[in-house]
Amino acid sequence: MKNTNHSTSKLLSMQLPDTLPLKSIFLSLLFLLGLFTSLSAQEIEYTKPTWKFGVAAGANFNFYQGSTQQLSTDLRVPAAFHDGFGTGLYLAPSIEYYRPNTRFGMLFQFGYDSRRGTFDEVMSPCDCPMDLSTNLSYLTIEPSLRFAPFKSDFYLYAGPRLAFNMDKSYEYQLKANPDFPEQTDGPVMTGDFSEVEKTILSMQIGAGYDIPLTGQNKKTQFVLSPFVAFHPYFGQNPRSIETWNMTTVRAGAVLKFGVGKNTSVEEEETIVVVAEPKVDFSVNSPKNVPSERTVKETFPVINYVFFDLGSTEIPNRYVQLNKNQVKDFKEDQVELFTPNNLSGRSDRQMIVYYNILNILGDRMVKNPSSSVKLVGSSEKGPDDARLLAESVKTYLVDIFEINASRISTEGRNKPAIPSEKPGATTELALLRQGDRRVSIESNSPALLMEFQSGPDSPLKPIQIIDRQEAPVDSYVTFDNEGSEDAFKSWSLEIEDKNGTVQYFGPYTQRKVAIPGKAILGTNAKGDYTVKMIGTTPEGSKIIKETNVSMVLWTPSTSEEVMRFSVPYNFNESNSIVRYEKYLTEVVAPKIPENGKVIIHGYTDIIGEAAYNQSLSERRAKDVKTILQNALTKAGKKGVTFESNGFGEDLQTAPFENKKPEERFYNRTVIIDILPVN
């Protein structure tokens, strides 16, 4: 049996002297920290340092594997040693380059790296226990790429490790056979391992977190960064003979400091305005819309049924009737057939979509000459995809008693218009959820949207009438053009004439829409001072100020609004071509002379917020251009347009973004046609 207590105490006694330099360095750094703190304790704000210098200290947890038996040219022990473990000191100066609020930087450390340890005790052929330990250590050079995935204090790093051997000594002892008490332990033999590699080239990967020890009112700022790193076994064979290798887990902390830049600017009154970078901040507070809007909406029915990953069953969020309910189903009364667990915004519209199987079945019963093709798409391949299509077919045949010959099925890897495009690398899980679906294809006009034909044409829309709360166009819109490039984030301070301040944000997108009621509360109107406070990647502040009057939206007389929606393919703003005839010949004729058209573009949450903002604006602009051209050809005059893109803004998005169908419906442009007052 191995004498664990003896080996552990011996290892600790071997390590103790190496901790003295570490204590001295920590005490010195703490002294310097106090000195710099007292010297720079002025109320001036500085940026976070880009360059930081310090000392890294930690413990190497070394795990030995493989085998070693030929200790030196003169000593070959009776049996091979295999596994082992030990802890050693890591101590190194550290240099770091990282621009705050970016993702990439660099680390460089060069210092002492102990890989000492004790092998597990083994038995010789004479049943005598054998012990072996080593003080193996290196001078290590470790350059690394630093990556902050969230542009925050958390970071990952990885890079090569180049190590030069400093100590290769060992201690070996052959002990007495415990079955023979009269025997005595052999002497402790010391020496250096032979055939030791002078240089080692391996790698490391780790993670750390910066904890500021001083605020940004100090020019010299100290940071403590706990870290953990993994050094895999490959490349870490200490010797050119035998198979001994090691895997190391390192845990410790870096105490580092750097010098920030002064960000203060001469102040005039209480406002600090920095000229650069260029940002154009504006506020649009619409006038009161004194009406309770009844919205007559032509709601598109996307011709897809989405399936959960790993399942070929129709999800229970889709309304599935029994045979006795079929006779009572009417597509203009779909709210009577509500799916399970429906919650969130725009419930009525999603009820329409979740009845898609019943809408299709009802239309096929009423149009006996119609037929459909169900095309399943699955990441598992065509066979699994066909099972998805067969699930939909079985429902239509069993519940609506549609002749099976009118429904064909097909399976494929990808839908005709996939969400996941070749070469895509981000947010693949959300994209693949959208591609696991059954597409309903038909050439029967009775089933399809007006002026649409072809296999991927959407189904005929449904008209629903709803009463609208405060409409989106009554929101106060804050447009911060240029903020995507200039700021890490920005926020709002809105102060009324009594000095009460409300805070909103922080935001990263260019445009933000806030309901007027959230600002006004119970007040009918009010005058406000709005401050936009932007934080640059370097940590400095830019403040823009403007005055605005707001009026609370209040319902009074009734007006009816006609609403149309145009869905888009993922990441596209030009798919509007297939809807051009619909917009020109169905939507445009309903716009009265001197009327008003409100166009809002949206996206789902996939992709960068700034890109989605631009994409939504391009979509809205496309619809506006088509409608304007149609009105010009028809000779209609006096029509005013209000066009906005809201990107992926969760406050204004038509739907949630939790399920693929919600994300598909958020890729849309909504058109409201207001009556002439």
Side-chain angles (χ1 to χ4, degrees):
M1 297 293 291
K2 178 180 175 181
N3 189 339
T4 305
N5 292 334
H6 170 73
S7 299
T8 303
S9 62
K10 179 172 66 176
L11 186 59
L12 289 174
S13 66
M14 290 164 61
Q15 289 181 283
L16 185 58
D18 287 336
T19 64
L20 294 177
L22 180 60
K23 292 180 179 178
S24 301
I25 289 172
F26 270 120
L27 290 173
S28 300
L29 287 173
L30 289 173
F31 172 76
L32 288 173
L33 175 60
L35 178 62
F36 280 116
T37 301
S38 62
L39 289 176
S40 59
Q42 305 176 41
E43 292 303 318
I44 300 175
E45 188 166 333
Y46 296 87
T47 62
K48 290 183 177 180
T50 299
W51 287 92
K52 298 188 186 74
F53 306 88
V55 173
N60 288 330
F61 299 93
N62 307 311
F63 300 86
Y64 294 170
Q65 290 180 309
S67 64
T68 189
Q69 187 173 3
Q70 184 75 41
L71 304 189
S72 66
T73 55
D74 300 324
L75 179 60
R76 179 180 177 86
V77 297
F81 289 89
H82 298 287
D83 297 334
F85 173 75
T87 57
L89 175 68
Y90 173 71
L91 185 65
S94 176
I95 302 174
E96 176 182 322
Y97 174 79
Y98 171 66
R99 292 183 60 199
N101 305 314
T102 61
R103 286 195 170 91
F104 290 97
M106 299 199 67
L107 289 170
F108 181 80
Q109 294 178 355
F110 171 70
Y112 176 74
D113 189 18
S114 173
R115 298 302 172 98
R116 66 171 63 198
T118 299
F119 286 89
D120 291 350
E121 194 172 70
V122 297
M123 302 299 290
S124 70
C126 67
D127 290 333
C128 299
M130 297 191 304
D131 285 343
L132 177 64
S133 63
T134 176
N135 291 324
L136 191 68
S137 62
Y138 297 89
L139 186 64
T140 184
I141 299 175
E142 298 178 6
S144 300
L145 178 67
R146 184 191 195 277
F147 176 61
F150 312 112
K151 299 182 181 181
S152 65
D153 293 326
F154 171 75
Y155 62 92
L156 306 172
Y157 63 95
R161 169 182 174 258
L162 180 62
F164 302 91
N165 182 255
M166 295 175 59
D167 192 334
K168 53 187 176 181
S169 62
Y170 66 80
E171 289 187 4
Y172 166 74
Q173 185 179 27
L174 178 65
K175 296 182 179 180
N177 187 327
D179 294 332
F180 298 91
E182 68 280 3
Q183 290 185 357
T184 59
D185 292 344
V188 176
M189 304 177 67
T190 61
D192 288 342
F193 282 107
S194 63
E195 309 297 330
V196 171
E197 300 281 8
K198 293 182 179 180
T199 59
I200 293 288
L201 180 61
S202 58
M203 65 157 297
Q204 61 163 340
I205 184 169
Y209 190 85
D210 285 342
I211 303 173
L213 301 179
T214 51
Q216 285 186 243
N217 61 335
K218 307 296 189 297
K219 183 176 182 179
T220 302
Q221 299 172 33
F222 283 80
V223 176
L224 183 66
S225 293
F227 67 85
V228 61
F230 177 65
H231 297 240
Y233 70 89
F234 43 87
Q236 291 209 75
N237 294 73
R239 307 175 68 190
S240 60
I241 62 171
E242 302 181 321
T243 60
W244 172 25
N245 63 57
M246 67 185 78
T247 298
T248 298
V249 177
R250 180 185 295 165
V254 185
L255 183 61
K256 52 194 177 184
F257 69 92
V259 178
K261 295 181 181 179
N262 190 339
T263 63
S264 62
V265 179
E266 287 296 321
E267 295 186 346
E268 205 171 310
E269 296 182 355
T270 60
I271 302 173
V272 179
V273 180
V274 180
E276 294 182 348
K278 180 174 175 56
V279 176
D280 187 9
F281 176 69
S282 61
V283 181
N284 177 27
S285 179
K287 296 179 180 180
N288 181 42
V289 184
S291 62
E292 183 178 75
R293 290 182 178 173
T294 299
V295 179
K296 184 178 181 181
E297 179 169 3
T298 302
F299 186 73
V301 181
I302 294 176
N303 56 317
Y304 303 139
V305 180
F306 297 92
F307 283 72
D308 296 332
L309 293 176
S311 173
T312 59
E313 299 293 327
I314 299 172
N316 64 6
R317 60 182 181 271
Y318 290 91
V319 177
Q320 298 179 58
L321 307 178
N322 57 49
K323 288 185 177 182
N324 295 329
Q325 294 175 303
V326 168
K327 64 181 184 301
D328 298 321
F329 179 82
K330 295 180 178 60
E331 66 177 47
D332 59 350
Q333 297 179 6
V334 290
E335 66 268 19
L336 300 178
F337 301 92
T338 306
N340 297 325
N341 303 320
L342 184 66
S343 62
R345 64 175 73 96
S346 302
D347 285 357
R348 291 195 65 196
Q349 288 90 331
M350 288 312 293
I351 291 174
V352 172
Y353 169 73
Y354 283 131
N355 275 276
I356 182 172
L357 298 176
N358 305 319
I359 293 169
L360 176 62
D362 185 57
R363 290 177 181 176
M364 292 188 73
V365 169
K366 293 175 180 176
N367 298 276
S369 63
S370 63
S371 62
V372 297
K373 181 179 182 180
L374 304 176
V375 182
S377 305
S378 170
E379 75 286 356
K380 294 183 178 180
D383 291 340
D384 185 67
R386 186 180 289 274
L387 293 176
L388 306 183
E390 289 293 335
S391 293
V392 175
K393 178 177 180 178
T394 298
Y395 177 77
L396 295 173
V397 172
D398 291 352
I399 301 302
F400 284 86
E401 298 182 341
I402 296 171
N403 192 310
S405 63
R406 297 169 60 193
I407 306 173
S408 62
T409 61
E410 179 185 320
R412 56 170 58 176
N413 291 316
K414 286 282 187 181
I417 305 176
S419 295
E420 183 187 358
K421 300 295 193 299
T425 58
T426 59
E427 300 183 278
L428 297 182
L430 296 181
L431 295 174
R432 287 167 183 166
Q433 287 176 15
D435 285 347
R436 185 174 176 81
R437 65 184 190 238
V438 170
S439 301
I440 303 168
E441 300 182 357
S442 178
N443 288 314
S444 303
L447 305 181
L448 301 179
M449 187 176 185
E450 293 174 85
F451 304 113
Q452 301 297 305
S453 61
D456 202 51
S457 299
L459 298 179
K460 183 181 295 183
I462 288 182
Q463 283 197 346
I464 55 177
I465 298 177
D466 198 4
R467 180 168 292 174
Q468 188 181 32
E469 295 292 333
V472 173
D473 50 286
S474 72
Y475 285 28
V476 182
T477 304
F478 301 86
D479 190 348
N480 209 0
E481 185 177 358
S483 62
E484 307 98 314
D485 299 323
F487 299 145
K488 174 188 174 185
S489 64
W490 58 279
S491 57
L492 294 168
E493 289 186 9
I494 303 178
E495 182 177 357
D496 65 15
K497 62 182 180 180
N498 298 320
T500 302
V501 180
Q502 299 180 72
Y503 301 91
F504 298 89
Y507 306 108
T508 54
Q509 67 269 36
R510 170 188 157 185
K511 277 188 179 182
V512 172
I514 300 176
K517 187 175 179 61
I519 301 171
L520 287 159
T522 58
N523 298 320
K525 60 182 179 178
D527 297 322
Y528 294 87
T529 299
V530 179
K531 286 184 182 179
M532 185 285 301
I533 304 171
T535 303
T536 68
E538 295 76 23
S540 59
K541 306 289 185 185
I542 292 179
I543 300 177
K544 299 276 187 177
E545 182 177 307
T546 187
N547 296 316
V548 63
S549 296
M550 302 183 193
V551 179
L552 186 66
W553 182 88
T554 53
S556 56
T557 60
S558 178
E559 65 176 21
E560 183 177 273
V561 174
M562 288 181 287
R563 172 170 294 174
F564 299 87
S565 300
V566 178
Y568 280 76
N569 294 328
F570 175 72
N571 198 29
E572 291 186 4
S573 61
N574 58 357
S575 60
I576 194 64
V577 172
R578 59 188 261 183
Y579 285 95
E580 186 166 353
K581 191 174 181 66
Y582 174 75
L583 287 168
T584 302
E585 300 190 22
V586 175
V587 179
K590 293 180 171 59
I591 302 174
E593 284 198 356
N594 301 314
K596 183 176 181 180
V597 180
I598 299 173
I599 302 173
H600 289 161
Y602 302 91
T603 72
D604 60 19
I605 59 170
I606 300 175
E608 295 290 338
Y611 177 82
N612 285 340
Q613 176 63 42
S614 174
L615 179 62
S616 69
E617 291 171 0
R618 296 199 305 271
R619 289 173 173 173
K621 183 178 179 181
D622 282 343
V623 170
K624 178 181 175 182
T625 300
I626 291 172
L627 291 177
Q628 284 179 322
N629 291 339
L631 293 174
T632 300
K633 290 179 181 179
K636 287 187 180 180
K637 300 178 181 179
V639 177
T640 58
F641 285 85
E642 180 182 307
S643 176
N644 274 300
F646 290 94
E648 63 182 56
D649 187 350
L650 299 181
Q651 291 193 71
T652 57
F655 302 95
E656 304 286 350
N657 281 279
K658 298 175 183 177
K659 297 181 176 65
E661 56 267 23
E662 294 172 334
R663 294 190 289 272
F664 266 69
Y665 271 111
N666 277 339
R667 302 167 194 161
T668 190
V669 170
I670 295 177
I671 307 149
D672 281 354
I673 302 174
L674 276 63
V676 179
N677 293 326

